[in-house]
Amino acid sequence: MNLNEKSQANVEYMIEQIKTKLRMATGAAMQASAFSVNQYDDIYDLYDMVMNKQNLSISEVEAVVSELGQLRGNH
């Protein structure tokens, strides 16, 4: 997958990967299609940070979920 290309498919892929990594119990409520390619750079930064961490603390998970909620609401 070429994540350098700003596409809706890549946005949805990154959201799904973040949800999987965080083992989000509320993942079903966070539909990847609810995110816009207009927020690609923000989503990519979040994806990159999450994927490069071995483990995330509870506060980090909460921060990521909060950020995703804000991004979802701004599209």
Side-chain angles (χ1 to χ4, degrees):
M1 175 140 300
N2 179 5
L3 295 179
N4 293 321
E5 180 182 328
K6 293 183 181 182
S7 69
Q8 187 64 34
N10 282 349
V11 166
E12 293 179 17
Y13 170 81
M14 289 187 290
I15 296 298
E16 291 301 326
Q17 291 301 306
I18 291 169
K19 285 168 36 179
T20 299
K21 176 93 178 206
L22 300 182
R23 295 179 202 76
M24 287 177 61
T26 59
M30 192 73 67
Q31 293 295 327
S33 58
F35 295 86
S36 168
V37 73
N38 294 334
Q39 300 144 319
Y40 190 90
D41 293 329
D42 292 330
I43 293 168
Y44 182 83
D45 290 344
L46 202 55
Y47 167 83
D48 190 48
M49 185 273 296
V50 168
M51 292 301 136
N52 284 310
K53 284 207 167 244
Q54 185 70 26
N55 295 300
L56 290 146
S57 69
I58 291 172
S59 61
E60 286 172 321
V61 170
E62 289 172 350
V64 168
V65 171
S66 175
E67 183 68 21
L68 286 172
Q70 289 179 2
L71 289 170
R72 185 181 62 185
N74 290 334
H75 75 95

Coordinates of all heavy atoms in Angstrom, one line a residue:
M1 N 0.9 -1.2 0.0 CA 0.0 0.0 0.0 C 0.9 1.2 0.0 O 1.8 1.4 0.8 CB -0.9 0.0 1.2 CG -1.7 1.2 1.4 SD -3.4 0.9 1.9 CE -4.1 -0.1 0.7
N2 N 0.6 2.1 -0.9 CA 1.4 3.4 -1.0 C 0.7 4.5 -0.3 O -0.2 5.1 -0.8 CB 1.6 3.8 -2.5 CG 2.4 5.1 -2.7 OD1 2.9 5.6 -1.7 ND2 2.5 5.5 -3.9
L3 N 1.2 4.7 1.0 CA 0.5 5.7 1.8 C 0.9 7.1 1.5 O 0.5 8.1 2.1 CB 0.7 5.4 3.3 CG 0.1 4.1 3.7 CD1 0.4 3.8 5.2 CD2 -1.4 4.1 3.5
N4 N 1.8 7.3 0.5 CA 2.1 8.6 0.0 C 1.1 9.2 -0.9 O 1.1 10.4 -1.1 CB 3.5 8.6 -0.7 CG 4.6 8.3 0.2 OD1 4.7 8.7 1.3 ND2 5.6 7.5 -0.3
E5 N 0.2 8.4 -1.3 CA -0.9 8.9 -2.2 C -2.1 9.2 -1.3 O -2.6 8.4 -0.5 CB -1.3 7.7 -3.1 CG -2.4 8.1 -4.1 CD -2.8 6.9 -5.0 OE1 -1.9 6.1 -5.3 OE2 -4.0 6.8 -5.3
K6 N -2.6 10.4 -1.4 CA -3.7 10.9 -0.6 C -5.0 10.4 -1.2 O -5.5 11.0 -2.2 CB -3.7 12.4 -0.5 CG -2.6 12.9 0.3 CD -2.6 14.4 0.5 CE -1.4 14.9 1.3 NZ -1.5 16.4 1.5
S7 N -5.6 9.3 -0.7 CA -6.8 8.8 -1.3 C -7.7 8.3 -0.1 O -7.3 8.1 1.0 CB -6.5 7.6 -2.1 OG -6.0 6.5 -1.4
Q8 N -9.0 8.3 -0.4 CA -10.0 7.8 0.6 C -9.6 6.4 1.0 O -9.8 6.0 2.2 CB -11.4 7.9 0.1 CG -12.5 7.6 1.1 CD -12.5 8.6 2.3 OE1 -12.2 9.8 2.1 NE2 -12.8 8.2 3.5
A9 N -9.2 5.6 0.1 CA -8.9 4.2 0.4 C -7.7 4.1 1.4 O -7.8 3.3 2.4 CB -8.5 3.4 -0.9
N10 N -6.7 5.0 1.3 CA -5.6 5.0 2.2 C -6.1 5.5 3.6 O -5.6 5.0 4.6 CB -4.5 5.8 1.7 CG -3.7 5.1 0.6 OD1 -3.8 3.9 0.4 ND2 -2.8 5.8 -0.1
V11 N -6.9 6.5 3.6 CA -7.5 7.0 4.9 C -8.2 5.9 5.6 O -7.9 5.6 6.8 CB -8.5 8.2 4.6 CG1 -9.3 8.5 5.9 CG2 -7.7 9.4 4.1
E12 N -9.0 5.1 4.9 CA -9.8 4.1 5.5 C -8.8 3.0 6.0 O -9.0 2.4 7.1 CB -10.8 3.5 4.5 CG -11.9 4.6 4.3 CD -13.0 4.1 3.3 OE1 -13.1 2.9 3.1 OE2 -13.7 5.0 2.9
Y13 N -7.8 2.6 5.2 CA -6.8 1.6 5.6 C -6.1 2.1 6.9 O -6.0 1.3 7.8 CB -5.8 1.5 4.5 CG -4.6 0.6 4.9 CD1 -4.7 -0.8 4.9 CD2 -3.4 1.2 5.3 CE1 -3.6 -1.6 5.4 CE2 -2.3 0.4 5.8 CZ -2.4 -0.9 5.8 OH -1.4 -1.7 6.2
M14 N -5.7 3.3 7.0 CA -4.9 3.8 8.2 C -5.8 3.7 9.4 O -5.4 3.3 10.5 CB -4.4 5.2 7.9 CG -3.2 5.2 7.0 SD -2.4 6.8 6.8 CE -3.6 7.8 6.0
I15 N -7.1 4.2 9.2 CA -8.0 4.1 10.4 C -8.2 2.7 10.8 O -8.2 2.4 12.1 CB -9.4 4.8 10.0 CG1 -9.2 6.3 9.7 CG2 -10.4 4.6 11.1 CD1 -8.7 7.1 10.8
E16 N -8.4 1.8 9.9 CA -8.6 0.4 10.3 C -7.3 -0.2 11.0 O -7.5 -0.9 12.0 CB -8.9 -0.5 9.1 CG -10.3 -0.2 8.5 CD -11.4 -0.4 9.5 OE1 -11.3 -1.3 10.3 OE2 -12.4 0.3 9.4
Q17 N -6.2 0.2 10.6 CA -4.9 -0.3 11.2 C -4.8 0.3 12.6 O -4.4 -0.4 13.5 CB -3.7 0.1 10.3 CG -3.6 -0.6 9.0 CD -3.6 -2.1 9.2 OE1 -2.7 -2.6 10.0 NE2 -4.5 -2.9 8.6
I18 N -5.1 1.6 12.8 CA -5.1 2.2 14.1 C -6.1 1.5 15.0 O -5.7 1.1 16.2 CB -5.4 3.7 14.0 CG1 -4.3 4.5 13.3 CG2 -5.7 4.3 15.4 CD1 -4.6 5.9 12.9
K19 N -7.3 1.2 14.5 CA -8.3 0.5 15.4 C -7.8 -0.8 15.8 O -7.9 -1.2 16.9 CB -9.6 0.4 14.6 CG -10.4 1.7 14.6 CD -11.5 1.7 13.6 CE -12.3 0.5 13.4 NZ -13.4 0.6 12.5
T20 N -7.2 -1.6 14.9 CA -6.6 -2.9 15.2 C -5.5 -2.8 16.2 O -5.5 -3.6 17.2 CB -6.1 -3.6 13.9 OG1 -7.2 -3.7 12.9 CG2 -5.5 -4.9 14.2
K21 N -4.6 -1.9 16.0 CA -3.5 -1.8 16.9 C -3.9 -1.4 18.3 O -3.4 -1.9 19.3 CB -2.5 -0.7 16.4 CG -1.3 -0.4 17.3 CD -0.1 -1.2 17.0 CE 1.0 -0.8 17.9 NZ 2.3 -1.1 17.3
L22 N -4.9 -0.5 18.4 CA -5.4 -0.1 19.7 C -6.4 -1.1 20.3 O -6.9 -0.9 21.4 CB -6.1 1.3 19.6 CG -5.3 2.4 19.1 CD1 -6.1 3.7 19.1 CD2 -4.0 2.6 19.9
R23 N -6.8 -2.1 19.5 CA -7.8 -3.1 20.0 C -9.0 -2.4 20.5 O -9.5 -2.6 21.6 CB -7.2 -4.0 21.0 CG -6.1 -4.9 20.6 CD -5.6 -5.8 21.7 NE -4.3 -6.3 21.6 CZ -3.2 -5.6 21.8 NH1 -3.2 -4.4 22.1 NH2 -2.0 -6.2 21.7
M24 N -9.5 -1.5 19.7 CA -10.6 -0.6 20.1 C -11.9 -1.4 20.2 O -12.4 -1.9 19.3 CB -10.8 0.6 19.1 CG -9.7 1.6 19.2 SD -9.9 2.9 18.0 CE -11.5 3.6 18.4
A25 N -12.4 -1.4 21.5 CA -13.7 -2.0 21.7 C -14.8 -1.3 21.0 O -15.8 -1.9 20.6 CB -14.0 -2.1 23.2
T26 N -14.6 0.0 20.8 CA -15.6 0.8 20.2 C -15.3 1.0 18.7 O -15.8 1.9 18.1 CB -15.7 2.2 20.8 OG1 -14.4 2.8 20.7 CG2 -16.2 2.1 22.3
G27 N -14.5 0.1 18.2 CA -14.1 0.2 16.8 C -15.3 0.3 15.8 O -15.2 1.0 14.8
A28 N -16.3 -0.4 16.1 CA -17.5 -0.5 15.2 C -18.1 0.9 15.1 O -18.7 1.3 14.0 CB -18.5 -1.5 15.6
A29 N -18.0 1.7 16.1 CA -18.6 3.1 16.1 C -17.7 4.0 15.3 O -18.1 5.1 15.0 CB -18.8 3.6 17.5
M30 N -16.5 3.7 15.1 CA -15.5 4.5 14.4 C -15.4 4.0 13.0 O -14.4 3.4 12.6 CB -14.2 4.4 15.2 CG -13.2 5.5 14.8 SD -13.5 7.2 15.3 CE -13.3 7.0 17.1
Q31 N -16.3 4.3 12.1 CA -16.3 3.9 10.7 C -15.2 4.6 10.0 O -15.2 5.8 10.0 CB -17.7 4.1 10.1 CG -18.8 3.3 10.6 CD -18.6 1.8 10.4 OE1 -18.0 1.4 9.3 NE2 -19.0 1.0 11.3
A32 N -14.4 3.8 9.3 CA -13.3 4.4 8.5 C -13.8 5.4 7.5 O -13.2 6.4 7.1 CB -12.4 3.4 7.9
S33 N -15.0 5.1 6.9 CA -15.5 5.9 5.8 C -16.0 7.2 6.3 O -16.3 8.1 5.5 CB -16.7 5.1 5.1 OG -17.7 4.8 6.1
A34 N -16.0 7.4 7.7 CA -16.5 8.7 8.2 C -15.4 9.7 8.2 O -15.6 10.9 8.5 CB -17.0 8.5 9.7
F35 N -14.2 9.3 7.8 CA -13.0 10.2 7.7 C -12.8 10.7 6.3 O -13.0 9.9 5.4 CB -11.8 9.6 8.3 CG -11.9 9.2 9.7 CD1 -12.5 8.1 10.2 CD2 -11.4 10.1 10.7 CE1 -12.6 7.7 11.5 CE2 -11.6 9.8 12.0 CZ -12.2 8.6 12.4
S36 N -12.4 11.9 6.1 CA -12.2 12.5 4.8 C -10.7 12.6 4.4 O -9.9 12.7 5.3 CB -12.8 14.0 4.9 OG -12.4 14.7 3.7
V37 N -10.5 12.5 3.1 CA -9.2 12.6 2.6 C -8.6 14.0 2.9 O -7.4 14.2 2.9 CB -9.1 12.2 1.1 CG1 -9.8 13.3 0.2 CG2 -7.7 11.9 0.6
N38 N -9.5 15.0 3.2 CA -9.0 16.3 3.5 C -8.2 16.3 4.8 O -7.4 17.3 5.0 CB -10.2 17.3 3.7 CG -11.0 17.5 2.4 OD1 -10.4 17.3 1.3 ND2 -12.2 17.8 2.5
Q39 N -8.3 15.3 5.6 CA -7.6 15.2 6.9 C -6.4 14.2 6.8 O -5.9 13.8 7.7 CB -8.5 14.7 8.0 CG -9.7 15.7 8.2 CD -10.9 14.9 8.6 OE1 -11.2 13.9 8.0 NE2 -11.7 15.5 9.5
Y40 N -6.1 13.9 5.5 CA -5.1 12.9 5.3 C -3.8 13.1 6.1 O -3.3 12.1 6.7 CB -4.7 12.8 3.8 CG -3.9 11.6 3.4 CD1 -4.5 10.4 3.1 CD2 -2.5 11.6 3.5 CE1 -3.8 9.3 2.8 CE2 -1.8 10.5 3.2 CZ -2.4 9.4 2.8 OH -1.7 8.3 2.6
D41 N -3.2 14.3 6.1 CA -2.0 14.5 6.8 C -2.1 14.3 8.3 O -1.2 13.6 8.9 CB -1.4 15.9 6.5 CG -1.0 16.1 5.0 OD1 -0.6 15.1 4.4 OD2 -1.2 17.2 4.5
D42 N -3.2 14.7 8.9 CA -3.4 14.5 10.3 C -3.5 13.0 10.6 O -3.0 12.5 11.6 CB -4.6 15.2 10.8 CG -4.4 16.7 10.8 OD1 -3.2 17.2 10.9 OD2 -5.4 17.5 10.6
I43 N -4.3 12.3 9.8 CA -4.5 10.9 10.0 C -3.2 10.1 9.8 O -2.9 9.2 10.5 CB -5.6 10.3 9.0 CG1 -7.0 11.0 9.4 CG2 -5.7 8.8 9.1 CD1 -8.1 10.7 8.5
Y44 N -2.4 10.5 8.8 CA -1.2 9.8 8.5 C -0.2 10.0 9.7 O 0.4 9.1 10.1 CB -0.5 10.4 7.2 CG 0.8 9.6 7.0 CD1 0.8 8.4 6.3 CD2 2.0 10.2 7.4 CE1 2.0 7.7 6.1 CE2 3.2 9.5 7.2 CZ 3.2 8.3 6.5 OH 4.4 7.6 6.3
D45 N -0.2 11.2 10.3 CA 0.7 11.5 11.4 C 0.3 10.6 12.6 O 1.1 10.0 13.3 CB 0.7 12.9 11.8 CG 1.4 13.9 10.8 OD1 2.1 13.4 10.0 OD2 1.1 15.1 10.9
L46 N -1.0 10.5 12.8 CA -1.5 9.7 13.9 C -1.2 8.2 13.7 O -0.7 7.5 14.5 CB -3.0 9.9 14.0 CG -3.7 9.6 15.3 CD1 -3.1 10.3 16.5 CD2 -5.2 9.9 15.2
Y47 N -1.4 7.7 12.4 CA -1.1 6.4 12.0 C 0.4 6.1 12.2 O 0.7 5.0 12.8 CB -1.5 6.2 10.6 CG -1.0 4.9 9.9 CD1 -1.7 3.7 10.1 CD2 0.2 5.0 9.1 CE1 -1.2 2.6 9.5 CE2 0.6 3.8 8.5 CZ -0.1 2.6 8.7 OH 0.4 1.5 8.1
D48 N 1.2 6.9 11.8 CA 2.7 6.7 11.9 C 3.1 6.6 13.4 O 3.8 5.7 13.7 CB 3.4 7.9 11.2 CG 4.9 7.6 11.0 OD1 5.2 6.5 10.6 OD2 5.6 8.5 11.4
M49 N 2.6 7.5 14.2 CA 2.9 7.4 15.6 C 2.4 6.1 16.3 O 3.2 5.5 17.0 CB 2.3 8.6 16.3 CG 2.6 8.8 17.8 SD 1.6 7.9 19.0 CE 0.1 8.6 18.8
V50 N 1.2 5.7 16.0 CA 0.6 4.5 16.6 C 1.4 3.3 16.1 O 1.7 2.4 16.9 CB -0.9 4.4 16.2 CG1 -1.4 3.0 16.6 CG2 -1.7 5.5 17.0
M51 N 1.7 3.2 14.8 CA 2.3 2.0 14.3 C 3.8 1.9 14.7 O 4.3 0.8 14.8 CB 2.3 2.0 12.7 CG 0.9 1.9 12.2 SD 0.2 0.3 12.7 CE -1.5 0.8 13.2
N52 N 4.4 3.0 15.1 CA 5.8 3.0 15.5 C 6.0 2.8 17.0 O 7.2 2.7 17.4 CB 6.6 4.2 15.0 CG 6.8 4.2 13.5 OD1 7.3 3.2 13.0 ND2 6.4 5.2 12.8
K53 N 5.0 2.7 17.7 CA 5.1 2.4 19.1 C 4.8 0.9 19.4 O 3.9 0.4 18.9 CB 4.0 3.3 19.9 CG 4.4 4.7 20.0 CD 3.8 5.3 21.3 CE 4.3 6.6 21.6 NZ 5.0 6.6 22.8
Q54 N 5.7 0.4 20.2 CA 5.6 -1.0 20.6 C 4.3 -1.2 21.4 O 3.5 -2.1 21.2 CB 6.8 -1.5 21.4 CG 6.8 -3.0 21.7 CD 7.0 -3.8 20.5 OE1 7.6 -3.4 19.5 NE2 6.5 -5.0 20.6
N55 N 4.2 -0.3 22.4 CA 3.0 -0.4 23.3 C 2.5 1.0 23.6 O 3.3 2.0 23.6 CB 3.4 -1.0 24.7 CG 3.8 -2.4 24.6 OD1 3.0 -3.3 24.1 ND2 5.0 -2.8 24.9
L56 N 1.2 1.2 23.8 CA 0.7 2.5 24.0 C 0.1 2.4 25.5 O -0.6 1.5 25.8 CB -0.4 2.8 23.0 CG 0.1 3.1 21.6 CD1 -0.9 2.6 20.6 CD2 0.3 4.6 21.5
S57 N 0.3 3.5 26.2 CA -0.3 3.6 27.5 C -1.8 3.9 27.4 O -2.2 4.3 26.3 CB 0.4 4.7 28.3 OG 0.1 6.0 27.8
I58 N -2.5 3.7 28.5 CA -3.9 4.0 28.5 C -4.1 5.5 28.1 O -5.0 5.8 27.3 CB -4.5 3.6 29.8 CG1 -4.5 2.1 30.0 CG2 -5.9 4.2 30.0 CD1 -4.9 1.6 31.4
S59 N -3.3 6.4 28.6 CA -3.5 7.8 28.3 C -3.2 8.1 26.9 O -3.9 8.9 26.2 CB -2.7 8.7 29.3 OG -1.3 8.4 29.1
E60 N -2.2 7.4 26.3 CA -2.0 7.5 24.9 C -3.1 7.0 24.0 O -3.5 7.7 23.0 CB -0.7 6.8 24.5 CG 0.6 7.5 25.0 CD 1.8 6.7 24.7 OE1 1.8 5.4 24.9 OE2 2.9 7.3 24.4
V61 N -3.7 5.9 24.4 CA -4.8 5.3 23.6 C -6.0 6.3 23.7 O -6.6 6.6 22.7 CB -5.2 3.9 24.2 CG1 -6.6 3.5 23.6 CG2 -4.2 2.9 23.9
E62 N -6.2 6.8 24.9 CA -7.3 7.8 25.1 C -7.1 9.1 24.2 O -8.0 9.6 23.6 CB -7.5 8.2 26.5 CG -8.1 7.1 27.4 CD -8.1 7.4 28.9 OE1 -7.4 8.4 29.3 OE2 -8.7 6.6 29.6
A63 N -5.8 9.5 24.1 CA -5.5 10.7 23.3 C -5.7 10.4 21.8 O -6.3 11.2 21.1 CB -4.1 11.1 23.6
V64 N -5.3 9.2 21.4 CA -5.5 8.9 20.0 C -7.0 8.8 19.7 O -7.5 9.3 18.6 CB -4.8 7.5 19.7 CG1 -5.3 7.0 18.3 CG2 -3.3 7.7 19.7
V65 N -7.8 8.1 20.6 CA -9.2 8.0 20.3 C -9.9 9.4 20.3 O -10.7 9.7 19.5 CB -9.9 7.1 21.4 CG1 -11.4 7.2 21.3 CG2 -9.4 5.7 21.3
S66 N -9.4 10.3 21.2 CA -10.0 11.6 21.2 C -9.7 12.4 19.9 O -10.5 13.0 19.3 CB -9.4 12.4 22.4 OG -9.8 13.7 22.4
E67 N -8.4 12.2 19.4 CA -8.0 12.9 18.2 C -8.8 12.3 17.0 O -9.2 13.1 16.1 CB -6.5 12.7 18.0 CG -6.0 13.3 16.7 CD -6.0 14.9 16.8 OE1 -6.0 15.4 17.9 OE2 -5.9 15.5 15.7
L68 N -9.0 11.0 17.0 CA -9.8 10.4 15.9 C -11.3 11.0 15.9 O -11.8 11.3 14.9 CB -9.9 8.9 16.0 CG -8.6 8.2 15.6 CD1 -8.7 6.7 16.0 CD2 -8.3 8.3 14.2
G69 N -11.8 11.1 17.2 CA -13.1 11.7 17.3 C -13.2 13.1 16.7 O -14.2 13.5 16.1
Q70 N -12.2 13.9 17.0 CA -12.2 15.3 16.5 C -12.0 15.3 15.0 O -12.7 16.1 14.3 CB -11.0 16.1 17.2 CG -11.3 16.4 18.6 CD -10.1 17.1 19.3 OE1 -9.1 17.5 18.6 NE2 -10.2 17.4 20.5
L71 N -11.2 14.4 14.5 CA -11.0 14.4 13.0 C -12.3 13.9 12.3 O -12.6 14.4 11.3 CB -9.8 13.5 12.6 CG -8.4 14.0 13.0 CD1 -7.4 12.9 12.8 CD2 -8.1 15.2 12.2
R72 N -12.9 13.0 12.9 CA -14.2 12.5 12.3 C -15.2 13.6 12.3 O -16.0 13.7 11.4 CB -14.7 11.3 13.1 CG -15.9 10.6 12.5 CD -16.4 9.5 13.3 NE -16.8 10.0 14.6 CZ -17.2 9.2 15.6 NH1 -17.2 7.9 15.5 NH2 -17.5 9.7 16.8
G73 N -15.2 14.4 13.3 CA -16.2 15.5 13.4 C -16.0 16.7 12.5 O -16.8 17.5 12.3
N74 N -14.8 16.7 12.0 CA -14.4 17.9 11.2 C -14.4 17.7 9.7 O -13.9 18.5 8.9 CB -12.9 18.3 11.6 CG -12.9 18.9 12.9 OD1 -13.9 19.4 13.4 ND2 -11.7 18.8 13.6
H75 N -15.0 16.6 9.2 CA -14.8 16.4 7.7 C -16.0 16.9 7.0 O -16.8 17.6 7.2 CB -14.6 14.9 7.4 CG -15.8 14.1 7.5 ND1 -16.6 13.8 6.5 CD2 -16.4 13.4 8.6 CE1 -17.6 13.0 6.8 NE2 -17.5 12.8 8.1

